Amino acid sequence: MTRKLPLLMALACGVGVANVYFPQALTPLIADGLGVTPATAAIVATVTQLGYAVGIFLLVPLGDRLPRRPLITGLLATTCASLLVAGLAPATGLLLAAGAVVGVATVVPQLLLPMAAGLVESDRRGSVIGTLQAGLIGGILLARTFGGVLGEHLGWRAPYLVAAMLTGLVALVLGLALPGNAPAVHDRYPTLLADTLRMLRDERELRRSVLFQVTLFGGFSAAWTALALLITGPRYGMGTQAVGLLALIGAGSMFCAPAAGRWVDRLGADRVNLWCVLAALAAAAVLSGGALGGVVGLVALAVGLLLLDVAVQCGQVANQARIFALRPEARSRLNTGYMTCAFLGGSAGSWLGTRAYVQLGWGAVCALIALAAVLALAAYLTGRHGKRSDRESRPQLADLPR
């Protein structure tokens, strides 16, 4: 691992994940350009995200079975070709098919993270993961701005064509820069998929990491899903552009992720997780001020969302540092189980957040976030108790036969 390689891998993470998120900003432009309803155009973004979830489960385990450099560059080349097809699609059918392939193939960030963890010493693992996570966050944050601005000035096809060019360039550079590696295992593909489920059953630290991320990411998704309804509703009466501006508040978490990695290296993942859980509880309290409306309410929303975003992203760094230390030969499968559960938690949070807001208002959404943080705190306390019990059950040196 050279000094520049983590930065290059972080850039690749950002470009890769942006391909999943920039279509969300193009819905009205696609509807006008292809003469379809906005609801039909919105399916493009939905299909791309569903493809991403499918790709995580089906393709990321191959990182333990195949040499990662050709696997990564091959997936990037597939993404590049699919983006070109999407950008030139004459109708929605081909656009939907190409969007689905883009989602499935653009799982490169989830292959780069375990690869980076295996290229560094254990005392630098958190720091390197934090650097890649910062690139991932940057890609998510800037993707909607990239898609919206470019699409507004050059049409909806332009973001797809520019993204294809960037993805192809990243594939070329990574093909030259990434080190070669031998496969960690030689198991058959069905065995890899089955191992992912078995690890969720057998690895307690993996389950703890999953619980931390499912709860906090679920609360995060609930907040952002309901936020659009709150901002565009009667209390604020603002447009969706205001939601986009609030989304840029999350840029603070991009700078916190590398610091979180260094804290994990020095203090351990559990300590960082505890800080993140407490930050999420504080965020729920601050976000409740958003019900006041006006300038005070907007400030409360901005501060609360920043706290929540930092909690989720820094917690992600701690969780992945923990799971990548469990079984070096199975890092891709560990990441598959972890990320699949995280996406399921985020989907559940979005659904619950919408229902809570429609039925009971913004206060119920904040209560849902607080409940998620309390569940994460319970997972933390239970895990600490389990570790103490394990230590107490081990025979002490004085008790061993001489």
Side-chain angles (χ1 to χ4, degrees):
M1 176 71 78
T2 64
R3 288 186 177 274
K4 293 182 180 180
L5 187 55
L7 298 176
L8 176 60
M9 296 172 84
L11 177 63
C13 285
V15 172
V17 78
N19 293 327
V20 179
Y21 288 94
F22 80 76
Q24 293 177 342
L26 301 177
T27 296
L29 299 175
I30 292 174
D32 292 340
L34 296 179
V36 297
T37 65
T40 301
I43 298 175
V44 176
T46 303
V47 164
T48 304
Q49 288 185 307
L50 287 175
Y52 188 61
V54 171
I56 287 175
F57 185 75
L58 295 181
L59 298 181
V60 173
L62 291 173
D64 292 330
R65 176 65 178 81
L66 302 175
R68 289 196 179 103
R69 183 170 60 187
L71 176 62
I72 288 170
T73 53
L75 288 173
L76 285 170
T78 302
T79 303
C80 174
S82 302
L83 288 167
L84 282 174
V85 171
L88 300 173
T92 53
L94 186 58
L95 177 59
L96 288 172
V101 177
V102 168
V104 172
T106 194
V107 295
V108 166
Q110 306 309 327
L111 290 165
L112 287 172
L113 279 160
M115 182 179 188
L119 293 175
V120 295
E121 302 82 2
S122 59
D123 59 349
R124 287 185 58 211
R125 186 172 294 133
S127 177
V128 170
I129 291 173
T131 299
L132 268 65
Q133 189 68 23
L136 201 67
I137 299 166
I140 294 171
L141 290 174
L142 298 177
R144 299 179 183 91
T145 304
F146 159 80
V149 172
L150 205 60
E152 188 70 29
H153 289 87
L154 299 176
W156 70 267
R157 298 179 187 275
Y160 280 99
L161 298 177
V162 174
M165 180 182 66
L166 292 174
T167 303
L169 182 60
V170 168
L172 178 62
V173 174
L174 283 185
L176 296 173
L178 289 179
N181 73 293
V185 296
H186 297 280
D187 297 333
R188 294 184 303 167
Y189 179 63
T191 303
L192 295 176
L193 297 181
D195 280 348
T196 298
L197 300 177
R198 277 194 289 269
M199 288 176 191
L200 285 168
R201 180 194 66 191
D202 298 337
E203 296 287 349
R204 184 173 64 182
E205 290 301 287
L206 174 60
R207 293 197 302 273
R208 288 184 69 221
S209 297
V210 164
L211 281 172
F212 286 136
Q213 193 65 10
V214 163
T215 49
L216 293 192
F217 188 51
F220 173 86
S221 299
W224 279 104
T225 303
L227 178 70
L229 301 175
L230 175 66
I231 291 294
T232 59
R235 188 170 297 278
Y236 286 94
M238 303 174 75
T240 54
Q241 289 183 346
V243 180
L245 290 175
L246 284 171
L248 292 178
I249 298 294
S253 63
M254 183 171 63
F255 300 104
C256 291
R262 291 191 292 271
W263 295 334
V264 169
D265 290 335
R266 290 199 302 265
L267 304 173
D270 278 15
R271 181 75 62 85
V272 175
N273 277 133
L274 177 60
W275 293 346
C276 293
V277 170
L278 296 177
L281 279 171
V286 175
L287 283 170
S288 63
L292 298 175
V295 176
V296 174
L298 284 174
V299 171
L301 289 175
V303 175
L305 288 170
L306 177 59
L307 270 174
L308 188 57
D309 204 11
V310 168
V312 172
Q313 304 301 346
C314 292
Q316 174 94 319
V317 174
N319 293 330
Q320 289 186 313
R322 180 188 293 110
I323 66 173
F324 291 154
L326 293 176
R327 294 171 62 176
E329 80 286 356
R331 288 191 175 111
S332 291
R333 283 166 288 173
L334 289 164
N335 199 40
T336 297
Y338 171 79
M339 290 301 302
T340 302
C341 292
F343 266 87
L344 291 175
S347 301
S350 296
W351 186 84
L352 290 171
T354 302
R355 298 302 180 275
Y357 182 83
V358 170
Q359 298 293 329
L360 300 171
W362 181 250
V365 177
C366 298
L368 183 63
I369 298 168
L371 176 61
V374 168
L375 291 175
L377 181 61
Y380 172 82
L381 296 174
T382 302
R384 298 291 291 179
H385 176 73
K387 285 184 176 181
R388 283 198 300 269
S389 298
D390 286 347
R391 285 196 297 267
E392 291 168 0
S393 64
R394 294 192 191 106
Q396 301 300 311
L397 185 61
D399 300 328
L400 293 174
R402 296 183 184 276

